[in-house]
Amino acid sequence: MFSTTRRRVLDGLNRRYIYGRLPLLHTIIFMIEMAATARLAAKFNSYYAEKPVLTTMVTNAILGGVADTVAQLITAFRARTGVRRGDDFIAIEIHDLEKEKPPAVGELGHAKHTPPPFDFERLIRFMSYGFFMAPIQFQWFGFLSRTFPLAKKNPTFSALKRVACDQLLFAPFGLVCFFSYMTIAEGGGKRALTRKFQDVYLPTLKANFVLWPAVQVLNFRVVPIQFQIPFVSSVGIAWTAYLSLTNSAEEE
């Protein structure tokens, strides 16, 4: 009974749009995540002082969720704006009148063009990946800080050493972890994992080298160490959204 009611509520929210473009359910989830982010940001220093690793894990999880929600919003928005206005109106009206019997694939443009519903399992995968990856990042950033301390005379050179080490060693490793985790969490086996790496790993790594060196120079040179992972995660909202779109596109 409860699951049926919940399904009906979610189905109803998935069919509602703000200004005919933004899916209501996606937007609600995004606002909840942003409220959680604001709450965490307000008390980050006190949380970090008591439990730095756990605070980093929770921060990564929330920001990973924000990133995937943004990616799902983009996907839904693209699908929604691809529907012609006339077809869109008819599809909604028919669907409301015949909830028990939705149109067949391609009929009146309904199943063919309707944006996908919000994928909660995918959201959980991204949040859990950020959560479990955070301790590794925490140790890695500590290692870089100890190995390449910022010299008073030329701190930029030390920061560049950190960036070079980070991009040549951790970036390829991080992408291996990401695609492996996502593929396995989606139920894929060895064949799916091999295909994923053949199709998207190198293009994604190249995109990484375009964005992250400049970000990490600023991060290692200016940002205090306790804020470095949150800073990366914040900038990484756009990056993780890109990864989410890349990963989901490969599934399709």
Side-chain angles (χ1 to χ4, degrees), residues 37 58-68 229-230 232-234 236-237 240:
T37 302
V58 173
T59 302
N60 259 19
I62 293 175
L63 293 177
V66 171
D68 182 63
I229 295 179
V232 167
S233 298
S234 298
I237 288 177
T240 307

Side-chain angles (χ1 to χ4, degrees), residues 162-214:
R162 293 187 189 183
V163 172
C165 187
D166 180 71
Q167 291 300 298
L168 294 176
L169 297 179
F170 193 81
F173 167 76
L175 287 178
V176 168
C177 291
F178 173 80
F179 286 120
S180 299
Y181 180 89
M182 290 299 167
T183 303
I184 294 171
E186 291 159 4
K190 183 178 180 180
R191 181 177 299 178
L193 190 61
T194 301
R195 180 184 173 189
K196 183 84 70 175
F197 279 100
Q198 288 176 342
D199 292 346
V200 301
Y201 179 78
L202 286 180
T204 306
L205 186 60
K206 291 178 182 177
N208 169 89
F209 290 145
V210 171
L211 170 67
W212 284 106

Side-chain angles (χ1 to χ4, degrees), residues 12-248:
L13 290 174
N14 272 314
R15 290 196 298 269
R16 300 294 186 271
Y17 290 83
I18 300 174
Y19 299 115
R21 291 292 181 267
L22 293 176
L24 178 60
L25 181 57
H26 296 58
T27 305
I28 291 173
I29 294 171
F30 177 75
M31 296 303 294
I32 293 173
E33 291 169 343
M34 293 307 297
T37 302
R39 174 72 175 177
L40 181 61
K43 296 190 175 183
F44 181 84
N45 282 334
S46 59
Y47 291 154
Y48 189 90
E50 294 180 5
K51 298 180 179 180
V53 177
L54 181 60
T55 301
T56 303
M57 293 170 74
V58 173
T59 302
N60 259 19
I62 293 175
L63 293 177
V66 171
D68 182 63
T69 301
V70 169
Q72 294 200 48
L73 264 169
I74 293 171
T75 301
F77 180 80
R78 285 175 176 174
R80 183 69 173 179
T81 54
V83 180
R84 291 180 299 176
R85 185 177 298 273
D87 289 345
D88 181 45
F89 174 78
I90 295 173
I92 291 175
E93 292 300 314
I94 295 296
H95 188 62
D96 287 340
L97 290 173
E98 297 185 25
K99 293 180 181 178
E100 300 300 325
K101 186 181 178 182
V105 174
E107 182 181 350
L108 298 177
H110 174 78
K112 184 178 180 181
H113 295 291
T114 299
F118 190 86
D119 191 340
F120 286 96
E121 291 184 2
R122 175 174 144 180
L123 175 66
I124 292 172
R125 287 196 295 268
F126 270 83
M127 294 185 71
S128 62
Y129 173 78
F131 185 83
F132 292 121
M133 195 66 180
I136 300 175
Q137 290 178 297
F138 185 87
Q139 295 298 328
W140 175 251
F141 276 62
F143 166 78
L144 291 178
S145 179
R146 294 188 301 270
T147 306
F148 306 108
L150 296 182
K152 293 183 179 180
K153 292 184 178 180
N154 194 359
T156 302
F157 184 66
S158 299
L160 289 174
K161 289 182 180 179
R162 293 187 189 183
V163 172
C165 187
D166 180 71
Q167 291 300 298
L168 294 176
L169 297 179
F170 193 81
F173 167 76
L175 287 178
V176 168
C177 291
F178 173 80
F179 286 120
S180 299
Y181 180 89
M182 290 299 167
T183 303
I184 294 171
E186 291 159 4
K190 183 178 180 180
R191 181 177 299 178
L193 190 61
T194 301
R195 180 184 173 189
K196 183 84 70 175
F197 279 100
Q198 288 176 342
D199 292 346
V200 301
Y201 179 78
L202 286 180
T204 306
L205 186 60
K206 291 178 182 177
N208 169 89
F209 290 145
V210 171
L211 170 67
W212 284 106
V215 172
Q216 291 291 47
V217 168
L218 177 63
N219 188 32
F220 292 137
R221 177 66 180 84
V222 178
V223 180
I225 188 169
Q226 70 268 27
F227 297 120
Q228 286 180 358
I229 295 179
F231 175 77
V232 167
S233 298
S234 298
V235 176
I237 288 177
W239 173 248
T240 307
Y242 167 77
L243 290 179
S244 179
L245 291 170
T246 301
N247 189 67
S248 61

